[in-house]
Amino acid sequence: MPVLDIENTLLSLGYKLNDRGLYWQTNAVFRQGDNQTAIQIYKNSGVWKDYVNQTPYMSFKKLIQLSVGTNDDDIVAGYIKEIDQIDFSSYNPLKERVTMEKTYDKDCLNRLLPHYDFYEKRGISSKTLSVFQGGLCTEGKMYQRFVFPIYNKHNKIHGFSGRYMGVSENAPKWKHMGVKSKWLYPHHISQKFITESSEVILVESIGDMLSLYENDYKNSLCCFGADISPSLCSYLVQCNPSKIFISLNNDNSKDFNVGLFGAIKIFFKLFTMFDYDKIFICLPDKNDFGDMSIFDFASWDKKRYSIKGDSHYNNIIRQAEKFCESREQSESFIKKIKKFKKEINNE
């Protein structure tokens, strides 16, 4: 096992580490790579793998040798003194039980009724709704909900999201079936448009996404709430868009703007993975996109492309500090604000 601190050793060699829990992700400094997810390094041992070049798991010592450009033991010893002998060909860093995610047969969609009145009254056409294969459920756990199938990367249905159509005040507005943290919705439709535009719009719900799609903004992804999942973060890193617009709901009529706070927290999460000048917060002009007219969309579109650099980011800092003053925040969130503030001000 390495004697030296693995993290500080890597930082001293120029690795920019992205924390992923049990391991870090980073670029291949030793071959001047810029893909921030190319290398996976486990924290407890330094064992690593290059996913771009499809290498086997290798020792921390080997990574040091490649990074300093020599196999000279005297030089390498300056970084590590010894390392356990491990059979890396069969190394399994995660000894967790593998579980298969449940998927559903597409035939189940035949039981959904094309009852579109609810959404058509909200400006969503039947043409748009048919693209997303949604329909009214008349039985089971999604009874009286307009249900949307959630597809995984293999074009298999691995979940459902249902909007309540009934009159009960106690029923939750949205109900989900499946592992929501793994959802990338609707990537099976929006991926093409994200690639073509090199832009992505992050929204809270399927309703927001439908309103955007109806108004010809087809490059959005749903967060399913006011936060962003690790799966969605990883997807964005893989796509590497030129611009990311965080457009959660605008709760400016309330004492605490949940949408703005969520957008700021997402901004600081993405700040650890992207250059900050790729990330913008641009909330809808009304409470959500479903409340916006065609003229509101034109105004919002103009606004998002007129965002000014440092003034925009300094405003994010001011808003974040206000949230810290009004409500207790985590130490990690406060640290991210301070780090970003230093970077903006070139301190």
Side-chain angles (χ1 to χ4, degrees):
M1 183 175 183
V3 174
L4 293 185
D5 184 339
I6 295 173
E7 181 176 10
N8 286 332
T9 299
L10 292 169
L11 292 173
S12 71
L13 290 168
Y15 288 92
K16 185 177 180 181
L17 304 177
N18 297 307
D19 197 326
R20 298 292 184 265
L22 293 176
Y23 58 85
W24 296 292
Q25 282 182 316
T26 185
N27 58 312
V29 171
F30 55 84
R31 55 176 169 79
Q32 291 79 51
D34 57 6
N35 184 338
Q36 292 296 321
T37 62
I39 305 295
Q40 184 173 300
I41 308 170
Y42 283 88
K43 296 178 179 179
N44 64 344
S45 62
V47 170
W48 63 285
K49 180 180 177 69
D50 186 340
Y51 279 90
V52 172
N53 288 342
Q54 291 297 309
T55 68
Y57 286 106
M58 291 187 281
S59 70
F60 186 56
K61 180 178 180 179
K62 183 63 177 178
L63 181 58
I64 298 300
Q65 290 172 338
L66 290 171
S67 300
V68 300
T70 180
N71 292 336
D72 189 316
D73 287 338
D74 290 335
I75 296 176
V76 173
Y79 294 90
I80 54 176
K81 294 183 180 179
E82 61 180 6
I83 191 164
D84 291 340
Q85 297 300 312
I86 303 174
D87 180 8
F88 295 107
S89 63
S90 60
Y91 183 70
N92 181 14
L94 295 178
K95 296 181 180 179
E96 298 177 354
R97 183 166 58 91
V98 177
T99 57
M100 296 296 292
E101 185 181 20
K102 184 176 181 180
T103 58
Y104 302 84
D105 195 303
K106 292 181 183 179
D107 287 345
C108 68
L109 301 181
N110 296 331
R111 298 198 294 271
L112 299 178
L113 303 180
H115 186 69
Y116 296 156
D117 287 0
F118 176 86
Y119 279 111
E120 286 179 333
K121 290 176 182 177
R122 287 160 174 76
I124 309 300
S125 65
S126 58
K127 180 180 178 181
T128 291
L129 292 167
S130 64
V131 169
F132 296 95
Q133 300 177 293
L136 181 66
C137 183
T138 59
E139 60 183 359
K141 295 180 180 179
M142 289 291 190
Y143 175 64
Q144 287 192 318
R145 292 181 179 274
F146 194 97
V147 175
F148 297 88
I150 311 295
Y151 285 88
N152 63 20
K153 291 182 178 181
H154 306 291
N155 203 33
K156 301 284 187 181
I157 298 174
H158 67 152
F160 299 93
S161 187
R163 174 61 159 88
Y164 187 60
M165 302 283 104
V167 294
S168 173
E169 295 182 358
N170 297 322
K173 185 176 180 180
W174 287 93
K175 185 176 182 180
H176 309 296
M177 289 177 58
V179 185
K180 190 175 68 171
S181 61
K182 295 184 178 181
W183 291 357
L184 301 171
Y185 186 79
H187 81 283
H188 63 299
I189 292 171
S190 61
Q191 181 172 340
K192 170 188 173 184
F193 302 102
I194 292 170
T195 302
E196 289 176 353
S197 65
S198 193
E199 296 178 5
V200 63
I201 305 167
L202 301 179
V203 297
E204 275 195 39
S205 73
I206 290 178
D208 298 307
M209 179 275 297
L210 290 173
S211 295
L212 282 168
Y213 191 94
E214 185 71 26
N215 286 274
D216 209 30
Y217 300 92
K218 300 178 180 180
N219 56 332
S220 68
L221 291 170
C222 295
C223 294
F224 293 98
D227 200 357
I228 188 169
S229 69
S231 295
L232 184 46
C233 286
S234 296
Y235 180 76
L236 291 174
V237 169
Q238 292 171 17
C239 293
N240 194 26
S242 299
K243 292 184 179 181
I244 300 172
F245 294 98
I246 308 170
S247 302
L248 305 190
N249 293 354
N250 192 354
D251 308 301
N252 57 10
S253 62
K254 300 178 181 177
D255 293 335
F256 188 79
N257 193 330
V258 177
L260 177 59
F261 179 59
I264 288 173
K265 293 196 78 171
I266 290 173
F267 176 89
F268 283 113
K269 283 187 179 181
L270 295 178
F271 165 59
T272 64
M273 306 170 199
F274 296 92
D275 293 336
Y276 68 81
D277 56 2
K278 286 186 173 184
I279 318 167
F280 307 90
I281 294 177
C282 190
L283 305 188
D285 292 345
K286 300 292 178 66
N287 181 70
D288 58 44
F289 288 111
D291 294 333
M292 287 168 52
S293 67
I294 188 173
F295 303 105
D296 293 326
F297 272 102
S299 173
W300 173 79
D301 193 54
K302 183 179 180 180
K303 179 177 70 174
R304 71 187 180 122
Y305 285 116
S306 62
I307 292 174
K308 302 296 182 182
D310 286 353
S311 62
H312 176 67
Y313 298 116
N314 279 312
N315 183 54
I316 290 174
I317 291 169
R318 285 193 295 271
Q319 294 285 358
E321 290 176 336
K322 282 178 63 177
F323 284 127
C324 290
E325 291 172 2
S326 62
R327 297 192 179 190
E328 186 176 350
Q329 304 298 333
S330 68
E331 188 63 32
S332 63
F333 181 60
I334 295 170
K335 284 181 178 178
K336 287 175 184 175
I337 296 171
K338 290 179 179 177
K339 180 180 178 182
F340 183 58
K341 192 172 184 178
K342 285 182 178 180
E343 187 162 335
I344 285 292
N345 297 318
N346 296 316
E347 295 179 5

